[in-house]
Amino acid sequence: MSGILTDSRVDLSGTRVAVTGITALARDAEAVGVAVDDLKELTARLAAPIAALAASMAPHKTGRLSAGIKPSRSKRKVMVRVGSASRLPYAGVNHWGTTGSNGPQWLAKAEEHLRARTFAGFGEGIAQLLKRYNW
């Protein structure tokens, strides 16, 4: 099975490549010709389940907070954003708590819960993109 292994190696169908992280893997994929839009689509697709889980875990007084949780399209990282400082100024306090560590941390828990699946999906997605671009 292809994917990112626990010891910072990526298994691409029998071939192993040492990398220092996801950013380096994405940068190398871009360097060999993988389109930036394809990388953005991959990271957004991988961030969507994290955003959905975080939205279900977030407090639901009015629904604005959970509606503001969205996957981002980044070429080098899987990222989920929660609104903006002007639209949801309470999002950070709701997540981290008043002391910065006593909150429910629903977004962090969602990411942690799906981390293995996200890493495996990133490795498999990069392998498919490299195959599509004949590399």
Side-chain angles (χ1 to χ4, degrees):
M1 178 173 112
S2 64
I4 296 180
L5 306 175
T6 58
D7 57 357
S8 298
R9 290 179 295 143
V10 178
D11 185 356
L12 302 174
S13 301
T15 304
R16 291 186 180 206
V17 180
V19 296
T20 57
I22 286 179
T23 302
L25 179 61
R27 184 179 51 240
D28 291 346
E30 187 180 354
V32 297
V34 174
V36 172
D37 287 341
D38 289 336
L39 290 171
K40 287 181 177 183
E41 188 276 325
L42 172 64
T43 59
R45 190 177 75 231
L46 293 172
I50 298 170
L53 181 58
S56 72
M57 296 169 72
H60 287 278
K61 267 188 174 177
T62 65
R64 288 183 65 212
L65 183 61
S66 60
I69 300 171
K70 307 252 190 257
S72 287
R73 295 176 51 85
S74 171
K75 67 181 181 177
R76 293 194 180 149
K77 56 188 164 191
V78 176
M79 185 170 44
V80 175
R81 293 188 187 267
V82 182
S84 65
S86 62
R87 286 187 224 148
L88 295 170
Y90 50 85
V93 174
N94 240 307
H95 181 265
W96 295 109
T98 54
T99 66
S101 63
N102 68 340
Q105 300 180 6
W106 31 267
L107 183 56
K109 289 178 182 174
E111 182 276 329
E112 185 178 332
H113 181 72
L114 296 172
R115 186 176 297 161
R117 183 172 131 187
T118 303
F119 281 167
F122 196 89
E124 291 168 9
I126 291 291
Q128 290 171 359
L129 289 173
L130 289 173
K131 193 175 191 178
R132 184 188 314 162
Y133 285 92
N134 297 321
W135 196 85

